Every structure is written in structure tokens, then in C-alpha cells.
Amino acid sequence: MNDQNTLTLITALGAPVLVFIGGLISWFLKTQKEELKAIEDRALEKRIETYNKILNPFITLFAAKENQKMKDKALDEITSVDYRKAGFNLITFGSDEMVNAYNEMMQGFYSGESSDNPNQTMKKFANFLLSIRKDVYNKNTKLKDWDMLRFMITDIDTIIKTIP
């Protein structure tokens, strides 16, 4: 066999082999990307589910106004085992910023700050909501912490002026 025939044979066999190898590599990379996307989607669903469990009693507290029975139910929920489990999930699956905001808010509740300085407690809750938004939807949001509560507090500008 001469060099010309050898080169033709290598070219004839090499092109399909290279196409096959390229296809395998593309398939592998696509599969890996899809698996990572599925894992990220499941983690996002878990975070959203956890955030909903954590936020539910606070939403009830804000909605209850003068209804002491609803407030008591929300406070019972916060001290429940299920709520503590959700808290552990939150610490496990949440971003660092969100975990810090949650810890800061909860420490305010534990120290009695919600009775002594409810506006500061609301600010911490607003910061917690903002950190959830950043964690789940938009890390580069232009919203500020108080923007997260503006829709449900009529005199929010007055409250904001009282916070140093």
C-alpha cells in the first residue's frame, strides 16, 4: 500500500470516527448539564417550600391585627417541631445572606425586641424577606428591605423615619 492509499483510508475512516467521538462528547456534556439543572430545580423547590413554611406564621401575625386567637396560633406554629425542622432546612439550603438575616430576625424575637422595639423587628423581617427574594429570584434586585413590606403597612414612611 502506498502513502496516498493509506492517507485516503485514514481520511475515510477517521472522519466518521471523529464525528462519532464529537457526538459522544456533546451527548455527555448535554446530559451532565441537564442533570445539574434538575438538581438545581429540586433544590430551588425545596428552598421555596421551606421559605413558605417559615413565612406562614409571620403572614398570619401580620394578617391577624386584633385577632388574638390567630396570633396565638401563629406563635404556637413558630414553637412547633415542624417549624424547627423547617428552620434546619432553611439553614441547610439557604444562602449565607438569608441564613444571617433569619438568625438576626429570630434573635430579635428571642430577646423580646418585638415587644420593646416592633419597628426594628419589622425591619429585620423585611431584610429576611429581601434575602429570600435574592436567594430564590434575583440576586441583583434594586429593592430595599422596607420595599418588601410597603404593600401591607399604610404608614411605613413614618415607621422608617423612627429607625436609626
Side-chain angles (χ1 to χ4, degrees):
M1 227 178 176
N2 65 25
D3 289 338
Q4 183 65 25
N5 288 342
T6 304
L7 185 60
T8 303
L9 182 61
I10 290 173
T11 304
L13 294 176
V17 169
L18 289 176
V19 168
F20 176 73
I21 291 171
L24 278 177
I25 291 171
S26 295
W27 171 80
F28 177 76
L29 292 175
K30 182 181 176 205
T31 302
Q32 291 295 84
K33 183 179 177 183
E34 288 172 355
E35 285 179 27
L36 285 174
K37 176 76 172 127
I39 290 168
E40 287 174 3
D41 288 346
R42 284 193 302 271
L44 177 62
E45 287 174 20
K46 184 68 173 175
R47 286 197 317 264
I48 290 171
E49 176 186 325
T50 299
Y51 296 154
N52 283 333
K53 285 180 184 176
I54 293 292
L55 291 174
N56 187 52
F58 294 103
I59 293 167
T60 302
L61 283 171
F62 273 104
K65 293 193 180 189
E66 301 301 320
N67 187 334
Q68 191 59 42
K69 186 176 179 181
M70 283 181 69
K71 288 181 180 179
D72 291 343
K73 181 182 176 199
L75 293 174
D76 287 345
E77 188 176 342
I78 289 173
T79 59
S80 72
V81 172
D82 285 340
Y83 191 84
R84 295 294 177 166
K85 286 179 184 177
F88 277 103
N89 284 338
L90 182 125
I91 301 301
T92 304
F93 295 110
S95 69
D96 292 353
E97 180 183 354
M98 189 281 316
V99 169
N100 288 332
Y102 177 71
N103 287 338
E104 185 76 19
M105 179 187 71
M106 292 307 291
Q107 286 301 310
F109 284 116
Y110 297 147
S111 70
E113 179 184 71
S114 59
S115 297
D116 301 338
N117 191 350
N119 293 349
Q120 187 65 34
T121 301
M122 280 193 292
K123 181 172 177 58
K124 289 178 180 178
F125 180 65
N127 187 47
F128 176 59
L129 290 174
L130 183 61
S131 68
I132 290 174
R133 178 182 170 83
K134 288 178 180 179
D135 189 36
V136 174
Y137 299 110
N138 184 359
K139 292 181 187 343
N140 298 318
T141 185
K142 302 277 189 275
L143 295 176
K144 304 292 183 224
D145 48 10
W146 283 112
D147 294 330
M148 302 305 293
L149 297 178
R150 194 169 290 279
F151 77 98
M152 58 192 234
I153 301 173
T154 55
D155 60 344
I156 195 162
D157 292 323
T158 305
I159 293 170
I160 291 169
K161 290 176 186 173
T162 67
I163 306 283

